[in-house]
Amino acid sequence: MSAPALQLDYYDGRSARPRRVAAHLSHDTLYLRGDGLVRSVAASQVRWPERSRGATRIAHLPDGGTLHCSDASAWDTWARASGLRETLMSRAQHSWRWVAACLALLVVLVVAIYQWGLPWASQGVVALLPDSVDQAMGDAAYASFGDQLLKPSRLPAAQRQRLQQAFGKAVAQAYPDGNAPHYRLMFHKSEIGPNAFALPGGVVVLTDELVELVDGDVEAVVGVLAHELGHVERRHGMRSLVQVTLLSTLSSLAFGDFSGWLATAPVLLGQAGYSRDAEREADRISIRILQAAGISPLAMVRFFDKIAPRAGDRESSVIGIAFASHPPDEERVAAFREAAQAEARP
């Protein structure tokens, strides 16, 4: 049986004048004949077009010439009859099974990157950064708050000293080998209300309002500070910064213009999830420090009882221990309560 022929427009790559030719494939060679043209080209040297819906098919010849066929259906029929095989990519693009499988694989890949890839990568990057970087960033952030946000503490000096000593004693008991993370406890009256937060490098800020809210409960304050020390120990501040950077980069690559909400939303949602994981980790460290110091984790339950009536104020807060990026209070209270019960069991 002779190879089928197809009428095409041939452009030689030097002029815009098309020449009507007949093309057929035989023994891996493309033959062109018509309008004064007779030539042959090895089929392997032709860049064949991929199948697409309704588009003009254009084949590129090695010398710059092109073959145009406006009848896509006729081209596809001729290509199949001539034995031209579609690439795997082209076949996949026209198969709903392949498309569905690729989408499922993409979802799995995105989940894996979010769940394990980014935390692993950020932890690796942070491990390579010297502590001096944390120190410099924490000092810069602390200085940026200025007198408008953080004012000198008005707590009595004796009370600040008592809290300082209680926390220092708890840390010393929790880290008997002297390997406690470096920290600097700073007391402030503030415009952010009852709060405590840790900065990279070890600056831990405790506001007068938080001490007053818990009625000076030393054990509760030690529990809160132990939580913040957990952030310092695990370098959550730097990890958060690295993770946001990586998330932003991936999101902008996936969605293009980073100013769009489509690209911003994954960053916000993703970082909130990482933040909640960091809070849970800091809570576990708080429990360990409290227990090492002989303080019941119920001290933190008392803290949450005290801040519960202020739950409505948290949305307006900017930084601190009780943010939307934290796990639900019920979950955290249950964790501290369970730790206390486990401790009490014989």
Side-chain angles (χ1 to χ4, degrees):
M1 190 174 76
S2 61
L6 181 67
Q7 294 296 316
L8 304 167
D9 289 326
Y10 167 76
Y11 293 84
D12 61 9
R14 296 183 293 276
S15 72
R17 186 178 75 85
R19 300 161 73 176
R20 197 65 175 171
V21 300
H24 73 271
L25 268 170
S26 178
H27 299 95
D28 297 326
T29 302
L30 172 66
Y31 296 94
L32 302 174
R33 183 184 296 272
D35 199 6
L37 176 72
V38 177
R39 63 173 299 189
S40 61
V41 182
S44 60
Q45 294 182 342
V46 179
R47 185 149 58 89
W48 301 100
E50 290 187 348
R51 183 159 54 95
S52 58
R53 182 173 298 176
T56 296
R57 303 293 192 260
I58 302 175
H60 296 265
L61 304 179
D63 61 355
T66 53
L67 298 171
H68 294 239
C69 179
S70 58
D71 188 342
S73 176
W75 172 281
D76 294 340
T77 301
W78 172 78
R80 283 194 298 272
S82 301
L84 277 178
R85 299 188 60 183
E86 286 188 284
T87 63
L88 176 63
M89 183 63 69
S90 178
R91 293 200 301 274
Q93 288 173 345
H94 293 85
S95 167
W96 69 266
R97 291 182 179 84
W98 273 95
V99 172
C102 289
L103 284 176
L105 182 62
L106 179 62
V107 171
V108 171
L109 182 63
V110 169
V111 171
I113 290 175
Y114 168 77
Q115 186 68 31
W116 299 291
L118 285 178
W120 178 82
S122 62
Q123 196 166 355
V125 171
V126 170
L128 295 175
L129 296 175
D131 292 341
S132 58
V133 175
D134 297 49
Q135 187 77 48
M137 294 195 64
D139 289 347
Y142 181 62
S144 70
F145 292 135
D147 295 336
Q148 298 298 319
L149 198 60
L150 299 177
K151 302 179 184 300
S153 173
R154 294 182 183 176
L155 291 178
Q159 186 177 22
R160 278 183 278 147
Q161 185 177 12
R162 189 163 57 252
L163 293 171
Q164 183 89 273
Q165 289 177 343
F167 182 54
K169 181 180 176 182
V171 172
Q173 290 174 307
Y175 299 88
D177 297 334
N179 58 350
H182 169 74
Y183 73 90
R184 286 179 293 158
L185 178 57
M186 314 298 289
F187 294 89
H188 282 284
K189 183 173 179 56
S190 78
E191 298 297 325
I192 58 176
N195 225 313
F197 59 90
L199 297 173
V203 172
V204 178
V205 174
L206 176 66
T207 68
D208 294 357
E209 291 78 7
L210 187 145
V211 177
E212 292 163 357
L213 180 66
V214 298
D215 299 322
D217 186 332
V218 175
E219 292 184 342
V221 172
V222 169
V224 171
L225 295 176
H227 170 95
E228 300 304 330
L229 192 66
H231 288 312
V232 176
E233 178 178 325
R234 300 299 183 188
R235 300 178 74 179
H236 286 155
M238 286 302 296
R239 283 171 57 181
S240 176
L241 180 62
V242 172
Q243 284 173 174
V244 165
T245 302
L246 293 176
L247 263 175
S248 301
T249 301
L250 290 178
S251 186
S252 61
L253 288 174
F255 299 106
D257 185 3
F258 184 67
S259 62
W261 67 270
L262 193 61
T264 307
V267 176
L268 297 176
L269 294 174
Q271 186 53 28
Y274 294 139
S275 178
R276 288 191 290 272
D277 290 341
E279 296 304 322
R280 294 185 181 98
E281 190 174 34
D283 279 350
R284 289 193 290 273
I285 293 175
S286 175
I287 290 171
R288 178 170 60 80
I289 293 176
L290 288 173
Q291 291 177 328
I295 300 174
S296 170
L298 291 176
M300 283 298 284
V301 176
R302 296 200 299 274
F303 165 75
F304 281 105
D305 287 342
K306 289 289 185 181
I307 67 172
R310 300 178 62 92
D313 297 338
R314 297 179 193 177
E315 294 298 327
S316 60
S317 201
V318 181
I319 50 178
I321 192 173
F323 284 174
S325 57
H326 289 56
D329 286 357
E330 294 78 8
E331 175 190 326
R332 304 179 68 187
V333 168
F336 283 105
R337 197 182 297 280
E338 183 179 345
Q341 292 171 347
E343 189 179 45
R345 294 191 192 105

